Amino acid sequence: MEFLDPVRVVALTGIAQGETVVDVGAGPGFFVAAMLAAVGPEGLVYAVDTAPEMLARLATVLGEQPQLKTVKSQELAIPLDNRIADHVFLADVIHEISSEDRVAFLQELQRLLRPSGRITIVDWRTMDTPVGPPVEERLSREDLVADLYRANFRLRRSDEAGPYHYLIQASLKEGIFAGDYRP
């Protein structure tokens, strides 16, 4: 995607050497190579997707790498241990989750985070663009932030990821640890 630079977006996330990252909805791995470079040889990237063909394509493109693990998931349940990640990342995914399921989905992502972890969400801005889903299917930045608060996150930063995308980063609210949230 010429309108979204994966190296720039991963740099905006602050993903660092030695971290463990879970890329939810990794698809064919658009951001994975940049994440692997960011975490370095001591880090780990879990590329998670519901579609086995996407994970197969990712494995073909990137090949075998010791710091890359592919994971087949359900739409709202990710088969990884609690508190496994320093960073959970998702791009062009959150708008596909129904409004009724969004907070539960965010809590599932929260379960994956270590107490000091953070989540970064990149998604389509709510404006007409030459590419992307219809505007009525997109999630506004404000609605996403409200859902993050309901799921017990706190906003860390809001930025532009590209001309058609926003970036929201959040972390666990103080005193809340991954997997400990009770509605």
Side-chain angles (χ1 to χ4, degrees):
M1 292 182 267
E2 66 275 359
F3 51 84
L4 200 55
D5 177 4
V7 174
R8 179 182 174 277
V9 170
V10 169
L12 286 172
T13 69
I15 292 171
Q17 293 283 313
E19 287 191 329
T20 297
V21 178
V22 178
D23 181 358
V24 177
F30 184 73
F31 293 96
V32 173
M35 289 177 186
L36 288 168
V39 301
E42 302 300 316
L44 185 60
V45 175
Y46 289 95
V48 177
D49 207 283
T50 59
E53 61 275 10
M54 286 292 148
L55 295 173
R57 186 171 163 202
L58 183 150
T60 300
V61 170
L62 294 176
E64 290 283 326
Q65 297 192 39
Q67 70 268 40
L68 174 61
K69 308 285 184 214
T70 58
V71 178
K72 163 79 171 77
S73 74
Q74 302 296 315
E75 192 165 302
L76 300 176
I78 299 169
L80 291 172
D81 292 338
N82 292 348
R83 301 178 184 169
I84 198 169
D86 299 295
H87 206 113
V88 171
F89 176 88
L90 54 156
D92 295 340
V93 172
I94 199 72
H95 73 272
E96 295 182 14
I97 306 298
S98 72
S99 58
E100 299 82 28
D101 292 333
R102 200 169 300 121
V103 170
F105 177 68
L106 291 168
Q107 289 169 344
E108 171 66 359
L109 301 179
Q110 180 188 90
R111 178 188 66 77
L112 303 173
L113 286 173
R114 294 182 176 128
S116 62
R118 59 223 181 274
I119 182 173
T120 299
I121 299 172
V122 174
D123 217 287
W124 296 94
R125 292 170 58 192
T126 49
M127 62 185 225
D128 285 322
T129 57
V131 294
V135 173
E136 60 274 6
E137 293 178 14
R138 299 178 188 199
L139 180 64
S140 74
R141 186 186 315 239
E142 296 77 20
D143 287 343
L144 174 57
V145 169
D147 286 341
L148 283 162
Y149 279 117
R150 281 192 286 281
N152 238 15
F153 284 96
R154 65 180 173 86
L155 184 66
R156 290 175 56 109
R157 74 179 294 177
S158 175
D159 212 328
E160 300 305 320
Y164 312 139
H165 289 81
Y166 60 80
L167 178 149
I168 298 288
Q169 188 171 85
S171 58
L172 299 171
K173 286 184 181 174
E174 194 171 321
I176 298 295
F177 299 99
D180 293 343
Y181 178 75
R182 303 284 188 272

